[in-house]
Amino acid sequence: MSDATRSRTTLMRWFALLVAVALCLLLGLATGEQWINPFAASDALEQTILWDLRFPRLLTAFAVGGLLALAGAWFQVLLGNPLAEPYVLGVAGSASAGAVTGLMFMPESAWVMSAGAFIGAWIGIVAVMFFSHLGANRMLLAGVVLAAFWSAVLALLLALLPEQGLFRAFSWMMGDLSHSDLPVPLLLIAWAIALACGVMLSRALDKLLLGERHAEALGVDVKTLRQRLLLLASAVTALAVTAAGTIGFVGLVIPHLMRLLFGSLHSAVLPASAIGGGLLLVLADSAARTIIAPAELPVGILTAIIGVPVFLYLLLRRSQ
C-alpha cells in the first residue's frame, strides 16, 4: 500500500469515527423510555428531557469512556502488558471500598459517596506507587494482590452495610451514570487536559514501546516517565470511577481496537482512544436506558457483554 493510499485510508477512518460519535449522540438523545425526535421536539417537556436530562448524561458518558480508554492505553505502556486496564492495579477496588464506606456513614448523600470513591481511589494509587520502584512486572503483581485485598475489604463493608444502602452500592459497583454528581464541564475539561497531556508524552511513549534500554538510549528518562504515567492514568481512573462507578473493558478493548485502525503511534492512538472510548460508553448507556425501559440496566454489564467478545476476537486475530 502506497503512502498516499495509507493516508487516505487513515483520513477516512478518522471521518468515520467522528461521524459515528455524532450519530450515537443523536441516537442517545432520541432513545430511552420515550422516543423523541431531536429535530422535532415540540413541547417544553420533550425539550427538558432532551437537553436537561439526556444530553448532560450523554456528555458524561462520552467523557468517562474517553478517560477510561486513555487510562487503559497508558497502563498498557506503563506495565508493558497488553492486557492491562485501569482496574488491574486495584484502583477500582479501593474506590469501591471508599464509596461503600461513605454510604455507611451518610446513606442519603450522593456527594459523600462520590467523595469516598475519590479518596479510596487515591489510597489505592498511593499503595501501588509504593511498589513502582520495583519495576513494571512486580508493580503489576502488587496491583493484582492489592485488588484481591480491596475485594475482601469491600465484601466486609457490604456485609456491614445497612439494607437500604445495598441497592445503591451494587448499582454503583456495576456502573451507574444516572446518579453522577460531578459537573459535566469538569469531566469534559478533564478529558481535554488528559488528552493534551497524552499527546505531549506520545513521542516518549513510542520510544518506551521499544524497551527501557532503547528508550533511555534515545534520551527518555524512563523512571520519571513511568511516574508521570502512573499518576496521570491513576488520576484519570479515579475521576472516571467517582463519576460513574466501576465500568470495565473500555480501557482494555478500545486501545487495542484503535491500534488496529490507526497504527501503533501514540499521537494517533491516544486521540482515537479518547474518542472511541466515549463512543462505546455512549452507545452502551443508550442501550442501557432503552432495552428494559422504563427500568435501566447497569452500563457496566453492557460494556462487559460488548467488550468480552470483541476482545476475544481481537486476541484471535492478533495470534493469527
Side-chain angles (χ1 to χ4, degrees):
M1 185 183 295
S2 66
D3 290 341
T5 304
R6 189 179 292 110
S7 298
R8 191 160 51 248
T9 302
T10 301
L11 276 175
M12 289 177 63
R13 287 174 178 173
W14 276 111
F15 179 74
L17 183 62
L18 294 175
V19 169
V21 170
L23 291 176
C24 284
L25 287 173
L26 286 174
L27 181 67
L29 281 174
T31 54
E33 182 179 353
Q34 176 186 358
W35 173 272
I36 300 174
N37 186 344
F39 300 106
S42 53
D43 57 64
L45 178 59
E46 289 184 347
Q47 293 283 350
T48 300
I49 292 173
L50 283 176
W51 305 112
D52 293 346
L53 297 178
R54 291 183 183 175
F55 190 60
R57 176 166 171 168
L58 289 172
L59 292 180
T60 297
F62 181 81
V64 169
L67 290 173
L68 290 174
L70 282 171
W74 288 327
F75 275 126
Q76 287 164 16
V77 178
L78 175 69
L79 300 175
N81 189 327
L83 299 180
E85 68 156 336
Y87 304 112
V88 73
L89 297 180
V91 176
S94 61
S96 298
V100 174
T101 301
L103 268 180
M104 291 182 67
F105 289 104
M106 296 184 69
E108 302 300 324
S109 175
W111 276 102
V112 170
M113 185 177 179
S114 297
F118 192 75
I119 293 170
W122 276 103
I123 290 174
I125 291 163
V126 171
V128 169
M129 287 189 66
F130 182 77
F131 299 93
S132 62
H133 67 282
L134 299 177
N137 290 333
R138 293 186 180 182
M139 186 169 65
L140 177 61
L141 181 60
V144 171
V145 173
L146 286 169
F149 170 76
W150 293 121
S151 294
V153 171
L154 182 60
L156 175 62
L157 292 172
L158 287 173
L160 299 175
L161 189 68
E163 187 176 346
Q164 64 268 24
L166 283 175
F167 176 78
R168 181 80 188 277
F170 281 116
S171 177
W172 187 88
M173 287 165 57
M174 290 185 288
D176 183 14
L177 287 161
S178 62
H179 295 97
S180 178
D181 296 299
L182 294 183
V184 174
L186 172 64
L187 290 171
L188 292 174
I189 290 170
W191 177 89
I193 292 174
L195 177 56
C197 291
V199 171
M200 288 170 57
L201 293 172
S202 60
R203 294 188 67 181
L205 295 178
D206 293 338
K207 295 173 183 176
L208 188 59
L209 285 177
L210 302 173
E212 290 190 9
R213 292 183 179 179
H214 287 87
E216 288 175 347
L218 293 170
V220 176
D221 186 341
V222 173
K223 183 179 180 180
T224 301
L225 178 61
R226 287 193 180 280
Q227 290 175 347
R228 289 177 180 174
L229 272 182
L230 179 60
L231 277 172
L232 192 59
S234 299
V236 162
T237 303
L239 188 62
V241 169
T242 302
T246 54
I247 299 173
F249 287 98
V250 177
L252 181 63
V253 170
I254 292 298
H256 279 282
L257 187 58
M258 295 304 115
R259 288 188 185 101
L260 284 176
L261 291 174
F262 298 100
S264 60
L265 292 178
H266 285 89
S267 56
V269 169
L270 294 178
S273 296
I275 297 170
L279 170 63
L280 174 60
L281 202 54
V282 165
L283 190 61
D285 184 57
S286 300
R289 290 185 287 108
T290 306
I291 292 174
I292 58 171
E296 289 187 17
L297 287 171
V299 70
I301 292 176
L302 288 181
T303 58
I305 290 173
I306 295 170
V308 170
V310 170
F311 179 72
L312 290 176
Y313 168 74
L314 294 175
L315 195 63
L316 288 172
R317 181 172 175 175
R318 193 180 185 93
S319 65
Q320 292 171 357

